[in-house]
mmCIF file with all atom_site columns, all heavy atoms in Angstrom:
data_model
loop_
_atom_site.group_PDB
_atom_site.id
_atom_site.type_symbol
_atom_site.label_atom_id
_atom_site.label_alt_id
_atom_site.label_comp_id
_atom_site.label_asym_id
_atom_site.label_entity_id
_atom_site.label_seq_id
_atom_site.pdbx_PDB_ins_code
_atom_site.Cartn_x
_atom_site.Cartn_y
_atom_site.Cartn_z
_atom_site.occupancy
_atom_site.B_iso_or_equiv
_atom_site.pdbx_formal_charge
_atom_site.auth_seq_id
_atom_site.auth_comp_id
_atom_site.auth_asym_id
_atom_site.auth_atom_id
_atom_site.pdbx_PDB_model_num
ATOM 1   N N   . ASP B 1 103 ? -6.805  15.406 5.524  1.00 65.00 ? 103 ASP B N   1
ATOM 2   C CA  . ASP B 1 103 ? -7.857  16.404 5.695  1.00 65.00 ? 103 ASP B CA  1
ATOM 3   C C   . ASP B 1 103 ? -7.437  17.579 6.553  1.00 65.00 ? 103 ASP B C   1
ATOM 4   O O   . ASP B 1 103 ? -8.207  18.514 6.732  1.00 65.00 ? 103 ASP B O   1
ATOM 5   C CB  . ASP B 1 103 ? -9.108  15.742 6.310  1.00 65.00 ? 103 ASP B CB  1
ATOM 6   C CG  . ASP B 1 103 ? -9.730  14.713 5.366  1.00 65.00 ? 103 ASP B CG  1
ATOM 7   O OD1 . ASP B 1 103 ? -9.453  14.806 4.146  1.00 65.00 ? 103 ASP B OD1 1
ATOM 8   O OD2 . ASP B 1 103 ? -10.454 13.830 5.846  1.00 65.00 ? 103 ASP B OD2 1
ATOM 9   N N   . GLY B 1 104 ? -6.230  17.517 7.119  1.00 65.00 ? 104 GLY B N   1
ATOM 10  C CA  . GLY B 1 104 ? -5.757  18.620 7.955  1.00 65.00 ? 104 GLY B CA  1
ATOM 11  C C   . GLY B 1 104 ? -6.382  18.680 9.321  1.00 65.00 ? 104 GLY B C   1
ATOM 12  O O   . GLY B 1 104 ? -6.427  19.741 9.963  1.00 65.00 ? 104 GLY B O   1
ATOM 13  N N   . LYS B 1 105 ? -6.883  17.529 9.833  1.00 64.00 ? 105 LYS B N   1
ATOM 14  C CA  . LYS B 1 105 ? -7.565  17.521 11.113 1.00 64.00 ? 105 LYS B CA  1
ATOM 15  C C   . LYS B 1 105 ? -6.599  17.302 12.285 1.00 64.00 ? 105 LYS B C   1
ATOM 16  O O   . LYS B 1 105 ? -6.983  17.456 13.436 1.00 64.00 ? 105 LYS B O   1
ATOM 17  C CB  . LYS B 1 105 ? -8.632  16.425 11.125 1.00 64.00 ? 105 LYS B CB  1
ATOM 18  C CG  . LYS B 1 105 ? -9.783  16.676 10.150 1.00 64.00 ? 105 LYS B CG  1
ATOM 19  C CD  . LYS B 1 105 ? -10.815 15.574 10.217 1.00 64.00 ? 105 LYS B CD  1
ATOM 20  C CE  . LYS B 1 105 ? -11.961 15.836 9.259  1.00 64.00 ? 105 LYS B CE  1
ATOM 21  N NZ  . LYS B 1 105 ? -12.971 14.770 9.294  1.00 64.00 ? 105 LYS B NZ  1
ATOM 22  N N   . LEU B 1 106 ? -5.340  16.925 11.978 1.00 60.00 ? 106 LEU B N   1
ATOM 23  C CA  . LEU B 1 106 ? -4.367  16.727 13.037 1.00 60.00 ? 106 LEU B CA  1
ATOM 24  C C   . LEU B 1 106 ? -3.560  18.001 13.253 1.00 60.00 ? 106 LEU B C   1
ATOM 25  O O   . LEU B 1 106 ? -3.104  18.623 12.301 1.00 60.00 ? 106 LEU B O   1
ATOM 26  C CB  . LEU B 1 106 ? -3.415  15.572 12.685 1.00 60.00 ? 106 LEU B CB  1
ATOM 27  C CG  . LEU B 1 106 ? -4.028  14.193 12.657 1.00 60.00 ? 106 LEU B CG  1
ATOM 28  C CD1 . LEU B 1 106 ? -2.965  13.153 12.280 1.00 60.00 ? 106 LEU B CD1 1
ATOM 29  C CD2 . LEU B 1 106 ? -4.633  13.849 13.993 1.00 60.00 ? 106 LEU B CD2 1
ATOM 30  N N   . LYS B 1 107 ? -3.379  18.386 14.500 1.00 53.00 ? 107 LYS B N   1
ATOM 31  C CA  . LYS B 1 107 ? -2.629  19.608 14.800 1.00 53.00 ? 107 LYS B CA  1
ATOM 32  C C   . LYS B 1 107 ? -1.153  19.372 14.594 1.00 53.00 ? 107 LYS B C   1
ATOM 33  O O   . LYS B 1 107 ? -0.612  18.325 14.923 1.00 53.00 ? 107 LYS B O   1
ATOM 34  C CB  . LYS B 1 107 ? -2.893  20.022 16.258 1.00 53.00 ? 107 LYS B CB  1
ATOM 35  C CG  . LYS B 1 107 ? -4.326  20.454 16.532 1.00 53.00 ? 107 LYS B CG  1
ATOM 36  C CD  . LYS B 1 107 ? -4.461  20.887 17.972 1.00 53.00 ? 107 LYS B CD  1
ATOM 37  C CE  . LYS B 1 107 ? -5.901  21.343 18.256 1.00 53.00 ? 107 LYS B CE  1
ATOM 38  N NZ  . LYS B 1 107 ? -6.052  21.755 19.679 1.00 53.00 ? 107 LYS B NZ  1
ATOM 39  N N   . GLU B 1 108 ? -0.487  20.381 14.071 1.00 48.00 ? 108 GLU B N   1
ATOM 40  C CA  . GLU B 1 108 ? 0.949   20.302 13.864 1.00 48.00 ? 108 GLU B CA  1
ATOM 41  C C   . GLU B 1 108 ? 1.646   20.876 15.089 1.00 48.00 ? 108 GLU B C   1
ATOM 42  O O   . GLU B 1 108 ? 1.217   21.855 15.681 1.00 48.00 ? 108 GLU B O   1
ATOM 43  C CB  . GLU B 1 108 ? 1.373   21.070 12.621 1.00 48.00 ? 108 GLU B CB  1
ATOM 44  C CG  . GLU B 1 108 ? 0.824   20.449 11.358 1.00 48.00 ? 108 GLU B CG  1
ATOM 45  C CD  . GLU B 1 108 ? 1.382   21.154 10.127 1.00 48.00 ? 108 GLU B CD  1
ATOM 46  O OE1 . GLU B 1 108 ? 2.285   21.984 10.301 1.00 48.00 ? 108 GLU B OE1 1
ATOM 47  O OE2 . GLU B 1 108 ? 0.931   20.858 9.025  1.00 48.00 ? 108 GLU B OE2 1
ATOM 48  N N   . GLN B 1 109 ? 2.758   20.266 15.473 1.00 47.00 ? 109 GLN B N   1
ATOM 49  C CA  . GLN B 1 109 ? 3.558   20.755 16.571 1.00 47.00 ? 109 GLN B CA  1
ATOM 50  C C   . GLN B 1 109 ? 4.938   21.101 16.069 1.00 47.00 ? 109 GLN B C   1
ATOM 51  O O   . GLN B 1 109 ? 5.533   20.364 15.297 1.00 47.00 ? 109 GLN B O   1
ATOM 52  C CB  . GLN B 1 109 ? 3.672   19.683 17.678 1.00 47.00 ? 109 GLN B CB  1
ATOM 53  C CG  . GLN B 1 109 ? 2.332   19.347 18.328 1.00 47.00 ? 109 GLN B CG  1
ATOM 54  C CD  . GLN B 1 109 ? 2.498   18.357 19.442 1.00 47.00 ? 109 GLN B CD  1
ATOM 55  O OE1 . GLN B 1 109 ? 3.619   17.952 19.742 1.00 47.00 ? 109 GLN B OE1 1
ATOM 56  N NE2 . GLN B 1 109 ? 1.407   17.967 20.050 1.00 47.00 ? 109 GLN B NE2 1
ATOM 57  N N   . ASP B 1 110 ? 5.440   22.209 16.502 1.00 46.00 ? 110 ASP B N   1
ATOM 58  C CA  . ASP B 1 110 ? 6.783   22.636 16.131 1.00 46.00 ? 110 ASP B CA  1
ATOM 59  C C   . ASP B 1 110 ? 7.580   22.837 17.411 1.00 46.00 ? 110 ASP B C   1
ATOM 60  O O   . ASP B 1 110 ? 7.407   23.838 18.110 1.00 46.00 ? 110 ASP B O   1
ATOM 61  C CB  . ASP B 1 110 ? 6.727   23.949 15.317 1.00 46.00 ? 110 ASP B CB  1
ATOM 62  C CG  . ASP B 1 110 ? 8.078   24.298 14.736 1.00 46.00 ? 110 ASP B CG  1
ATOM 63  O OD1 . ASP B 1 110 ? 9.102   23.699 15.135 1.00 46.00 ? 110 ASP B OD1 1
ATOM 64  O OD2 . ASP B 1 110 ? 8.116   25.191 13.884 1.00 46.00 ? 110 ASP B OD2 1
ATOM 65  N N   . SER B 1 111 ? 8.431   21.852 17.731 1.00 43.00 ? 111 SER B N   1
ATOM 66  C CA  . SER B 1 111 ? 9.147   21.904 18.970 1.00 43.00 ? 111 SER B CA  1
ATOM 67  C C   . SER B 1 111 ? 10.156  23.044 19.018 1.00 43.00 ? 111 SER B C   1
ATOM 68  O O   . SER B 1 111 ? 10.590  23.490 20.077 1.00 43.00 ? 111 SER B O   1
ATOM 69  C CB  . SER B 1 111 ? 9.891   20.582 19.198 1.00 43.00 ? 111 SER B CB  1
ATOM 70  O OG  . SER B 1 111 ? 10.771  20.314 18.137 1.00 43.00 ? 111 SER B OG  1
ATOM 71  N N   . THR B 1 112 ? 10.548  23.568 17.838 1.00 44.00 ? 112 THR B N   1
ATOM 72  C CA  . THR B 1 112 ? 11.514  24.665 17.806 1.00 44.00 ? 112 THR B CA  1
ATOM 73  C C   . THR B 1 112 ? 10.904  25.952 18.263 1.00 44.00 ? 112 THR B C   1
ATOM 74  O O   . THR B 1 112 ? 11.593  26.893 18.633 1.00 44.00 ? 112 THR B O   1
ATOM 75  C CB  . THR B 1 112 ? 12.044  24.865 16.381 1.00 44.00 ? 112 THR B CB  1
ATOM 76  O OG1 . THR B 1 112 ? 10.946  25.217 15.526 1.00 44.00 ? 112 THR B OG1 1
ATOM 77  C CG2 . THR B 1 112 ? 12.681  23.602 15.854 1.00 44.00 ? 112 THR B CG2 1
ATOM 78  N N   . LYS B 1 113 ? 9.516   26.033 18.292 1.00 42.00 ? 113 LYS B N   1
ATOM 79  C CA  . LYS B 1 113 ? 8.865   27.258 18.713 1.00 42.00 ? 113 LYS B CA  1
ATOM 80  C C   . LYS B 1 113 ? 8.446   27.233 20.175 1.00 42.00 ? 113 LYS B C   1
ATOM 81  O O   . LYS B 1 113 ? 7.959   28.219 20.705 1.00 42.00 ? 113 LYS B O   1
ATOM 82  C CB  . LYS B 1 113 ? 7.622   27.505 17.824 1.00 42.00 ? 113 LYS B CB  1
ATOM 83  C CG  . LYS B 1 113 ? 7.973   27.782 16.375 1.00 42.00 ? 113 LYS B CG  1
ATOM 84  C CD  . LYS B 1 113 ? 6.716   28.062 15.587 1.00 42.00 ? 113 LYS B CD  1
ATOM 85  C CE  . LYS B 1 113 ? 7.061   28.350 14.117 1.00 42.00 ? 113 LYS B CE  1
ATOM 86  N NZ  . LYS B 1 113 ? 5.860   28.608 13.309 1.00 42.00 ? 113 LYS B NZ  1
ATOM 87  N N   . LYS B 1 114 ? 8.555   26.069 20.801 1.00 42.00 ? 114 LYS B N   1
ATOM 88  C CA  . LYS B 1 114 ? 8.095   25.921 22.169 1.00 42.00 ? 114 LYS B CA  1
ATOM 89  C C   . LYS B 1 114 ? 8.964   26.747 23.107 1.00 42.00 ? 114 LYS B C   1
ATOM 90  O O   . LYS B 1 114 ? 10.173  26.646 23.108 1.00 42.00 ? 114 LYS B O   1
ATOM 91  C CB  . LYS B 1 114 ? 8.163   24.448 22.576 1.00 42.00 ? 114 LYS B CB  1
ATOM 92  C CG  . LYS B 1 114 ? 7.553   24.175 23.943 1.00 42.00 ? 114 LYS B CG  1
ATOM 93  C CD  . LYS B 1 114 ? 7.557   22.695 24.214 1.00 42.00 ? 114 LYS B CD  1
ATOM 94  C CE  . LYS B 1 114 ? 6.940   22.410 25.582 1.00 42.00 ? 114 LYS B CE  1
ATOM 95  N NZ  . LYS B 1 114 ? 6.943   20.968 25.867 1.00 42.00 ? 114 LYS B NZ  1
ATOM 96  N N   . GLY B 1 115 ? 8.315   27.591 23.925 1.00 40.00 ? 115 GLY B N   1
ATOM 97  C CA  . GLY B 1 115 ? 9.029   28.363 24.921 1.00 40.00 ? 115 GLY B CA  1
ATOM 98  C C   . GLY B 1 115 ? 9.671   29.627 24.380 1.00 40.00 ? 115 GLY B C   1
ATOM 99  O O   . GLY B 1 115 ? 10.366  30.323 25.114 1.00 40.00 ? 115 GLY B O   1
ATOM 100 N N   . LYS B 1 116 ? 9.463   29.961 23.098 1.00 41.00 ? 116 LYS B N   1
ATOM 101 C CA  . LYS B 1 116 ? 10.061  31.145 22.519 1.00 41.00 ? 116 LYS B CA  1
ATOM 102 C C   . LYS B 1 116 ? 9.076   32.299 22.533 1.00 41.00 ? 116 LYS B C   1
ATOM 103 O O   . LYS B 1 116 ? 7.884   32.127 22.340 1.00 41.00 ? 116 LYS B O   1
ATOM 104 C CB  . LYS B 1 116 ? 10.514  30.900 21.071 1.00 41.00 ? 116 LYS B CB  1
ATOM 105 C CG  . LYS B 1 116 ? 11.769  30.030 20.962 1.00 41.00 ? 116 LYS B CG  1
ATOM 106 C CD  . LYS B 1 116 ? 12.234  29.994 19.542 1.00 41.00 ? 116 LYS B CD  1
ATOM 107 C CE  . LYS B 1 116 ? 13.535  29.198 19.410 1.00 41.00 ? 116 LYS B CE  1
ATOM 108 N NZ  . LYS B 1 116 ? 14.014  29.176 18.016 1.00 41.00 ? 116 LYS B NZ  1
ATOM 109 N N   . ILE B 1 117 ? 9.586   33.524 22.772 1.00 36.00 ? 117 ILE B N   1
ATOM 110 C CA  . ILE B 1 117 ? 8.788   34.713 22.678 1.00 36.00 ? 117 ILE B CA  1
ATOM 111 C C   . ILE B 1 117 ? 9.434   35.608 21.621 1.00 36.00 ? 117 ILE B C   1
ATOM 112 O O   . ILE B 1 117 ? 10.605  35.987 21.741 1.00 36.00 ? 117 ILE B O   1
ATOM 113 C CB  . ILE B 1 117 ? 8.714   35.478 24.027 1.00 36.00 ? 117 ILE B CB  1
ATOM 114 C CG1 . ILE B 1 117 ? 8.081   34.565 25.080 1.00 36.00 ? 117 ILE B CG1 1
ATOM 115 C CG2 . ILE B 1 117 ? 7.956   36.772 23.890 1.00 36.00 ? 117 ILE B CG2 1
ATOM 116 C CD1 . ILE B 1 117 ? 8.060   35.197 26.465 1.00 36.00 ? 117 ILE B CD1 1
ATOM 117 N N   . VAL B 1 118 ? 8.708   35.923 20.573 1.00 41.00 ? 118 VAL B N   1
ATOM 118 C CA  . VAL B 1 118 ? 9.236   36.698 19.478 1.00 41.00 ? 118 VAL B CA  1
ATOM 119 C C   . VAL B 1 118 ? 8.576   38.076 19.481 1.00 41.00 ? 118 VAL B C   1
ATOM 120 O O   . VAL B 1 118 ? 7.334   38.179 19.480 1.00 41.00 ? 118 VAL B O   1
ATOM 121 C CB  . VAL B 1 118 ? 8.987   36.035 18.108 1.00 41.00 ? 118 VAL B CB  1
ATOM 122 C CG1 . VAL B 1 118 ? 9.571   36.858 16.988 1.00 41.00 ? 118 VAL B CG1 1
ATOM 123 C CG2 . VAL B 1 118 ? 9.604   34.629 18.126 1.00 41.00 ? 118 VAL B CG2 1
ATOM 124 N N   . ILE B 1 119 ? 9.352   39.143 19.525 1.00 37.00 ? 119 ILE B N   1
ATOM 125 C CA  . ILE B 1 119 ? 8.833   40.506 19.550 1.00 37.00 ? 119 ILE B CA  1
ATOM 126 C C   . ILE B 1 119 ? 9.280   41.216 18.282 1.00 37.00 ? 119 ILE B C   1
ATOM 127 O O   . ILE B 1 119 ? 10.476  41.276 17.971 1.00 37.00 ? 119 ILE B O   1
ATOM 128 C CB  . ILE B 1 119 ? 9.328   41.269 20.783 1.00 37.00 ? 119 ILE B CB  1
ATOM 129 C CG1 . ILE B 1 119 ? 8.875   40.535 22.054 1.00 37.00 ? 119 ILE B CG1 1
ATOM 130 C CG2 . ILE B 1 119 ? 8.814   42.700 20.773 1.00 37.00 ? 119 ILE B CG2 1
ATOM 131 C CD1 . ILE B 1 119 ? 9.409   41.175 23.330 1.00 37.00 ? 119 ILE B CD1 1
ATOM 132 N N   . TYR B 1 120 ? 8.346   41.786 17.512 1.00 40.00 ? 120 TYR B N   1
ATOM 133 C CA  . TYR B 1 120 ? 8.640   42.538 16.311 1.00 40.00 ? 120 TYR B CA  1
ATOM 134 C C   . TYR B 1 120 ? 8.515   44.026 16.651 1.00 40.00 ? 120 TYR B C   1
ATOM 135 O O   . TYR B 1 120 ? 7.437   44.527 16.937 1.00 40.00 ? 120 TYR B O   1
ATOM 136 C CB  . TYR B 1 120 ? 7.671   42.141 15.170 1.00 40.00 ? 120 TYR B CB  1
ATOM 137 C CG  . TYR B 1 120 ? 7.846   40.752 14.707 1.00 40.00 ? 120 TYR B CG  1
ATOM 138 C CD1 . TYR B 1 120 ? 7.028   39.727 15.182 1.00 40.00 ? 120 TYR B CD1 1
ATOM 139 C CD2 . TYR B 1 120 ? 8.861   40.408 13.812 1.00 40.00 ? 120 TYR B CD2 1
ATOM 140 C CE1 . TYR B 1 120 ? 7.198   38.417 14.770 1.00 40.00 ? 120 TYR B CE1 1
ATOM 141 C CE2 . TYR B 1 120 ? 9.042   39.106 13.418 1.00 40.00 ? 120 TYR B CE2 1
ATOM 142 C CZ  . TYR B 1 120 ? 8.199   38.114 13.901 1.00 40.00 ? 120 TYR B CZ  1
ATOM 143 O OH  . TYR B 1 120 ? 8.393   36.819 13.489 1.00 40.00 ? 120 TYR B OH  1
ATOM 144 N N   . TRP B 1 121 ? 9.639   44.717 16.600 1.00 40.00 ? 121 TRP B N   1
ATOM 145 C CA  . TRP B 1 121 ? 9.677   46.128 17.011 1.00 40.00 ? 121 TRP B CA  1
ATOM 146 C C   . TRP B 1 121 ? 9.183   47.041 15.916 1.00 40.00 ? 121 TRP B C   1
ATOM 147 O O   . TRP B 1 121 ? 8.734   48.166 16.190 1.00 40.00 ? 121 TRP B O   1
ATOM 148 C CB  . TRP B 1 121 ? 11.107  46.522 17.403 1.00 40.00 ? 121 TRP B CB  1
ATOM 149 C CG  . TRP B 1 121 ? 11.595  45.800 18.615 1.00 40.00 ? 121 TRP B CG  1
ATOM 150 C CD1 . TRP B 1 121 ? 12.370  44.696 18.642 1.00 40.00 ? 121 TRP B CD1 1
ATOM 151 C CD2 . TRP B 1 121 ? 11.289  46.111 19.977 1.00 40.00 ? 121 TRP B CD2 1
ATOM 152 N NE1 . TRP B 1 121 ? 12.587  44.309 19.928 1.00 40.00 ? 121 TRP B NE1 1
ATOM 153 C CE2 . TRP B 1 121 ? 11.949  45.163 20.788 1.00 40.00 ? 121 TRP B CE2 1
ATOM 154 C CE3 . TRP B 1 121 ? 10.547  47.115 20.602 1.00 40.00 ? 121 TRP B CE3 1
ATOM 155 C CZ2 . TRP B 1 121 ? 11.887  45.181 22.153 1.00 40.00 ? 121 TRP B CZ2 1
ATOM 156 C CZ3 . TRP B 1 121 ? 10.469  47.136 21.979 1.00 40.00 ? 121 TRP B CZ3 1
ATOM 157 C CH2 . TRP B 1 121 ? 11.142  46.160 22.737 1.00 40.00 ? 121 TRP B CH2 1
ATOM 158 N N   . ASP B 1 122 ? 9.251   46.574 14.674 1.00 46.00 ? 122 ASP B N   1
ATOM 159 C CA  . ASP B 1 122 ? 8.892   47.443 13.567 1.00 46.00 ? 122 ASP B CA  1
ATOM 160 C C   . ASP B 1 122 ? 7.851   46.763 12.695 1.00 46.00 ? 122 ASP B C   1
ATOM 161 O O   . ASP B 1 122 ? 8.032   45.628 12.284 1.00 46.00 ? 122 ASP B O   1
ATOM 162 C CB  . ASP B 1 122 ? 10.132  47.752 12.726 1.00 46.00 ? 122 ASP B CB  1
ATOM 163 C CG  . ASP B 1 122 ? 9.895   48.894 11.730 1.00 46.00 ? 122 ASP B CG  1
ATOM 164 O OD1 . ASP B 1 122 ? 8.899   48.799 10.976 1.00 46.00 ? 122 ASP B OD1 1
ATOM 165 O OD2 . ASP B 1 122 ? 10.690  49.832 11.734 1.00 46.00 ? 122 ASP B OD2 1
ATOM 166 N N   . LYS B 1 123 ? 6.751   47.439 12.416 1.00 46.00 ? 123 LYS B N   1
ATOM 167 C CA  . LYS B 1 123 ? 5.694   46.862 11.612 1.00 46.00 ? 123 LYS B CA  1
ATOM 168 C C   . LYS B 1 123 ? 6.186   46.530 10.208 1.00 46.00 ? 123 LYS B C   1
ATOM 169 O O   . LYS B 1 123 ? 5.799   45.514 9.611  1.00 46.00 ? 123 LYS B O   1
ATOM 170 C CB  . LYS B 1 123 ? 4.534   47.849 11.543 1.00 46.00 ? 123 LYS B CB  1
ATOM 171 C CG  . LYS B 1 123 ? 3.329   47.313 10.764 1.00 46.00 ? 123 LYS B CG  1
ATOM 172 C CD  . LYS B 1 123 ? 2.210   48.312 10.784 1.00 46.00 ? 123 LYS B CD  1
ATOM 173 C CE  . LYS B 1 123 ? 1.004   47.766 9.996  1.00 46.00 ? 123 LYS B CE  1
ATOM 174 N NZ  . LYS B 1 123 ? -0.098  48.737 9.996  1.00 46.00 ? 123 LYS B NZ  1
#
Side-chain angles (χ1 to χ4, degrees):
D103 295 339
K105 294 181 180 179
L106 292 180
K107 294 182 179 180
E108 294 186 8
Q109 295 182 2
D110 189 348
S111 58
T112 62
K113 294 183 180 179
K114 186 176 181 180
K116 287 187 177 181
I117 300 176
V118 181
I119 301 176
Y120 294 97
W121 295 98
D122 192 308
K123 183 178 180 180

